[in-house]
Amino acid sequence: MKTKIAFLLLVATFILISCSPSVPKVIEEAFLRRFVGAKDIMWQRNSEQKWIAIFYSKKFDYMTAYYSKEGKLEALETEIYEEEIPDDLVDNVYLKYPNSLVFSVFRRNTKVNTDYIFEIVNNGQLFGLYYSGNGTTNIIPADNIRFTSRIIIEND
């Protein structure tokens, strides 16, 4: 069984590496200057042609950095926990979705706003709620790159 899982991980890693987009040098250099010591770096390009780096940082665990095509850091996203989550947002989520299970909350800092993203399962449906610092709320559908880029391996 362990051999089977190891083989599947090896194949998945090869597929991810071979299908990974080629990150422009200006973006990669800007990232490496800012996040010295980053590990497990995975790059993606979203529909807006912005570059996303998902990586591990010893101090914050996994983080996500969003870069413009010019190599400018536009946002930094980190997972947050109970005491860091604004109570009014938690209340809002459970008011709108009383049967939901919140399994992750992220804070996204930009130069202008601090936004929050709740990853939720409600009545068997996975989606996200994006609370912008300017007061707007948007639903992030399950087919968003945020969810589709993850690989889940389960035991048989």
Side-chain angles (χ1 to χ4, degrees):
M1 178 54 112
K2 288 183 180 180
T3 307
K4 181 180 175 184
I5 291 172
F7 177 74
L8 288 173
L9 283 172
L10 181 64
V11 169
T13 302
F14 175 75
I15 290 170
L16 282 174
I17 291 170
S18 64
C19 296
S20 293
S22 179
V23 181
K25 190 173 180 97
V26 66
I27 294 171
E28 189 171 26
E29 287 174 353
F31 172 82
L32 293 173
R33 273 193 310 273
R34 172 131 184 169
F35 299 104
V36 176
K39 299 187 183 323
D40 298 334
I41 304 164
M42 184 177 81
W43 287 97
Q44 300 172 343
R45 189 170 50 206
N46 68 11
S47 59
E48 300 161 359
Q49 300 304 306
K50 300 198 183 216
W51 287 90
I52 303 168
I54 301 168
F55 62 100
Y56 177 80
S57 170
K58 189 174 183 180
K59 185 176 178 182
F60 295 102
D61 292 325
Y62 279 91
M63 302 173 71
T64 305
Y66 296 80
Y67 282 89
S68 68
K69 59 185 174 186
E70 295 80 25
K72 186 175 181 180
L73 180 65
E74 294 184 340
L76 185 62
E77 189 176 298
T78 56
E79 187 168 7
I80 59 174
Y81 302 96
E82 293 177 35
E83 64 279 351
E84 299 173 283
I85 306 168
D87 290 336
D88 60 325
L89 295 182
V90 174
D91 294 343
N92 189 305
V93 168
Y94 286 116
L95 186 63
K96 288 183 179 180
Y97 304 98
N99 299 322
S100 66
L101 170 66
V102 175
F103 61 90
S104 294
V105 180
F106 298 87
R107 179 174 36 229
R108 181 182 291 178
N109 292 315
T110 67
K111 287 187 178 187
V112 237
N113 285 328
T114 297
D115 308 325
Y116 294 89
I117 300 166
F118 286 72
E119 294 184 347
I120 297 172
V121 174
N122 187 57
N123 296 323
Q125 285 241 283
L126 170 69
F127 64 97
L129 286 176
Y130 182 85
Y131 289 94
S132 176
N134 67 15
T136 61
T137 304
N138 293 309
I139 292 177
I140 304 169
D143 63 353
N144 182 277
I145 193 169
R146 160 175 228 94
F147 301 113
T148 59
S149 64
R150 297 178 183 166
I151 296 176
I152 300 171
I153 298 176
E154 298 179 9
N155 291 334
D156 290 324

